[in-house]
Amino acid sequence: PKEIIGYQNLALENLPFASVVLASSDDPYSSLERSKFFAKAWGGEFINIGDLGHVNNASGIGDWPNGKALLNRFIHSLE
């Protein structure tokens, strides 16, 4: 899609920091397989967050308590 122009040539190497890829199973911009590929290439964890579409402000997720819980889990894994 034209909305993702500029994101085609992402770095495919381990990131120098801990990372996690949260992916929606019905994101119109990236399939689960592609998101898993990026997580592996970056040396990060992959989490399927279900059918939430493209996760952004326009998605209508709102406060998203589960997202906050995932963020807290990630932060605590760094300790």
Side-chain angles (χ1 to χ4, degrees):
K2 67 180 180 346
E3 294 85 1
I4 63 169
I5 291 173
Y7 291 94
Q8 293 93 337
N9 299 313
L10 298 176
L12 298 176
E13 55 203 34
N14 277 345
L15 299 173
F17 46 81
S19 64
V20 63
V21 173
L22 302 178
S24 175
S25 56
D26 62 349
D27 188 328
Y29 301 114
S30 183
S31 67
L32 282 179
E33 292 74 25
R34 185 166 173 81
S35 297
K36 286 178 190 177
F37 171 79
F38 286 127
K40 184 176 181 179
W42 295 332
E45 179 183 1
F46 172 82
I47 299 175
N48 179 344
I49 57 172
D51 298 336
L52 295 178
H54 185 67
V55 179
N56 63 5
N57 190 46
S59 70
I61 288 176
D63 195 37
W64 197 34
N66 190 40
K68 288 182 179 179
L70 290 168
L71 175 60
N72 284 328
R73 187 184 98 187
F74 176 70
I75 291 168
H76 289 294
S77 76
L78 303 174
E79 297 175 344

